[in-house]
Amino acid sequence: MRVEDALERLLAAIDPVTETETVPTAGAAGRILSEDVVSPLDVPGFDNSQMDGYAVRREDVARALASGRPLPVVQRIAAGQLGCALAPGTVARLFTGAPMPAGADAVVMQEDASPADPPEDADTVRADYGWVRLGAVPAEGQWVRHRGEDVRAGAIVLPAGTRLSVADLGLAASIGSATLRVRRRLRIALASTGDELIQPGERPADRLPPGAIYNSNRYFLEPMLRRLGCEVTVLDRIPDDRAATQAALTEAARDHDVILTTGGVSVGEEDHVKPVVQALGALELWQIAMKPGKPFAHGWIDRVHVAGHGRCHVLGLPGNPVSSFVTFVLLARPFLLRLGGATATPTLPPALPMVAHFDWPRADKRREFLRVRRNSAGGLDLFPNQNSSVLTSVAWADGLVDNPAGGVIAHGDTVRYLPLTGLLD
């Protein structure tokens, strides 16, 4: 199945979680809004200065420049203070964020103004803060932030389904939102299958049994799940045994939204996840035309097997670490975001056109995702070993080249580059 078709089917199979909770705004980064955030006020709530400088009437500045006469500074307004209406022929010293006095129509920043000696008739004019000479007539509204320029009262500033960024939290705070209503966190059971797996720290490298390997997949999948805002339960290693696999998945289905497995979804005699899911529910998706990551699976377990209701999704990632990583960022991640209630979930991340500084002459019948890194010359370098078991390639890379099925790449070709930064947050 093509990657786009697989994603379309994955996302179509989702009924997002509906339970919600209220959380403090300061702790809501990465959470998904369950309702629109509507502003109760204009932001800013008043016209204010964008700069340290002087509030002026433009016609007064033009008249002063024509006559060569300085202008009297009659008031000083700091942020949080309210000045008086600006009398004709005068200016007000004000600072960034200070409210504009009534009558003023522009701000001259202090770099364009200079202190001036009082004129001969200074004793007849009020000038509590001295005199100032301005360099030019400002444009109307110059350096003024107008009321409602950022947000209007009644506007939806953050729609339901938004996955909240740190900038979104600042925006919510700017309209006074101390708390936000969000979807509850997804509950994910993370399961690793295989007799060969040993947890780091369980045995030193010089005492590994023959054929054993350290479980690396858990150590990048668990933090990626937590970055998505999921609650993660790490299951004990599931041995290559059908009864043990069925028992573990049945129990995990009881109180989790998704079981995410690594390994056990290929076609070997010791790959038990696929037949167990078929026995307990259904397998909706299996084998994707992509490299690495062909043996990716999606299905569900009917909770009737644990005296429950509904379904628990199962996402089966390949056991090879690169395959597991690539299928997670391209397939599992958008699935989990949509299941959690996010609405802005692209089918595939937008690719950037970049120049290949390598050759890839070996065409494959599957779509390939090559591990690459940007170089100082503005192009892309290729990691020399693209084997799906070489996790070094992922640690080294900063992106993937999306190479179509049957595609070859010559040095200097423009390719589709997917930055990993947009896939790991």
Side-chain angles (χ1 to χ4, degrees):
M1 185 179 297
R2 294 188 323 127
V3 175
E4 287 87 355
D5 295 337
L7 266 172
E8 184 178 349
R9 287 183 57 174
L10 271 173
L11 299 181
I14 293 172
D15 288 321
V17 298
T18 57
E19 298 94 332
T20 65
E21 59 181 335
T22 299
V23 299
T25 298
R31 302 299 297 272
I32 297 170
L33 279 176
S34 62
E35 61 186 22
D36 294 341
V37 176
V38 179
S39 179
L41 76 168
D42 291 332
V43 179
F46 49 87
D47 291 354
N48 66 88
S49 178
Q50 221 172 322
M51 295 283 180
D52 293 342
Y54 297 88
V56 302
R57 295 174 182 268
R58 296 171 62 246
E59 61 184 42
D60 292 338
V61 178
R63 192 175 297 113
L65 286 173
S67 66
R69 181 183 176 87
L71 288 165
V73 184
V74 299
Q75 55 181 315
R76 184 180 183 276
I77 310 170
Q81 299 178 349
L82 190 63
C84 302
L86 190 64
T90 69
V91 301
R93 176 75 166 122
L94 82 172
F95 301 90
T96 303
M100 291 288 290
D105 56 13
V107 171
V108 176
M109 63 180 180
Q110 63 186 27
E111 291 85 348
D112 294 332
S114 57
D117 294 330
E120 293 181 358
D121 61 347
D123 57 345
T124 66
V125 179
R126 177 190 168 194
D128 297 339
Y129 298 94
W131 295 77
V132 67
R133 196 176 299 279
L134 304 177
V137 179
E140 185 175 359
Q142 178 174 288
W143 303 125
V144 177
R145 291 186 289 230
H146 295 285
R147 176 173 181 163
E149 182 178 301
D150 188 6
V151 177
R152 288 288 187 184
I156 296 174
V157 296
L158 295 168
T162 298
R163 183 169 178 241
L164 293 164
S165 68
V166 292
D168 293 332
L169 302 188
L171 178 57
S174 75
I175 62 169
S177 298
T179 61
L180 295 168
R181 195 74 181 167
V182 297
R183 304 287 180 106
R184 70 157 172 84
R185 296 182 186 274
L186 292 179
R187 296 185 286 266
I188 311 295
L190 179 58
S192 301
T193 68
D195 292 336
E196 74 279 12
L197 296 180
I198 300 291
Q199 289 299 115
E202 186 177 332
R203 292 196 182 190
D206 59 358
R207 293 176 54 193
L208 283 178
I213 60 172
Y214 287 122
N215 180 3
S216 60
N217 290 354
R218 170 195 166 178
Y219 289 86
F220 60 78
L221 291 173
E222 183 180 356
M224 287 198 292
L225 287 167
R226 295 194 188 281
R227 283 187 182 184
L228 293 178
C230 303
E231 293 179 359
V232 183
T233 303
V234 179
L235 306 184
D236 292 336
R237 175 185 60 84
I238 302 175
D240 289 325
D241 176 83
R242 176 157 181 172
T245 302
Q246 182 159 330
L249 298 190
T250 301
E251 180 60 26
R254 184 186 303 275
D255 52 8
H256 291 90
D257 302 297
V258 179
I259 303 171
L260 185 73
T261 68
T262 62
V265 293
S266 194
V267 294
E269 294 177 4
E270 298 299 328
D271 292 318
H272 300 292
V273 172
K274 176 174 173 279
V276 165
V277 173
Q278 289 174 314
L280 297 177
L283 190 72
E284 298 286 342
L285 192 67
W286 183 53
Q287 293 197 337
I288 313 299
M290 62 186 292
K291 182 181 180 180
K294 175 184 175 183
F296 171 88
H298 167 250
W300 50 269
I301 292 174
D302 194 330
R303 290 199 181 97
V304 70
H305 298 286
V306 290
H309 302 283
R311 299 173 175 179
C312 173
H313 291 280
V314 178
L315 294 177
L317 308 186
N320 275 327
V322 178
S323 300
S324 184
F325 180 90
V326 171
T327 52
F328 182 89
V329 298
L330 295 182
L331 298 172
R333 181 178 181 274
F335 175 90
L336 294 171
L337 287 173
R338 182 68 60 85
L339 183 63
T343 53
T345 308
T347 52
L348 277 178
L352 302 176
M354 291 197 69
V355 177
H357 287 179
F358 61 87
D359 294 307
W360 186 252
R362 304 186 297 274
D364 195 280
K365 63 181 180 180
R366 288 176 286 164
R367 184 174 181 174
E368 298 175 289
F369 293 92
L370 308 172
R371 277 75 70 206
V372 296
R373 185 164 71 182
R374 288 168 291 188
N375 58 39
S376 59
L380 297 174
D381 293 329
L382 180 76
F383 193 80
N385 190 339
Q386 293 287 315
N387 190 286
S388 62
S389 64
V390 179
L391 195 52
T392 313
S393 67
V394 174
W396 173 89
D398 64 12
L400 305 171
V401 162
D402 182 358
N403 189 38
V408 296
I409 300 171
H411 192 290
D413 286 350
T414 298
V415 295
R416 290 168 44 84
Y417 170 74
L418 306 175
L420 286 178
T421 50
L423 297 171
L424 299 179
D425 60 345

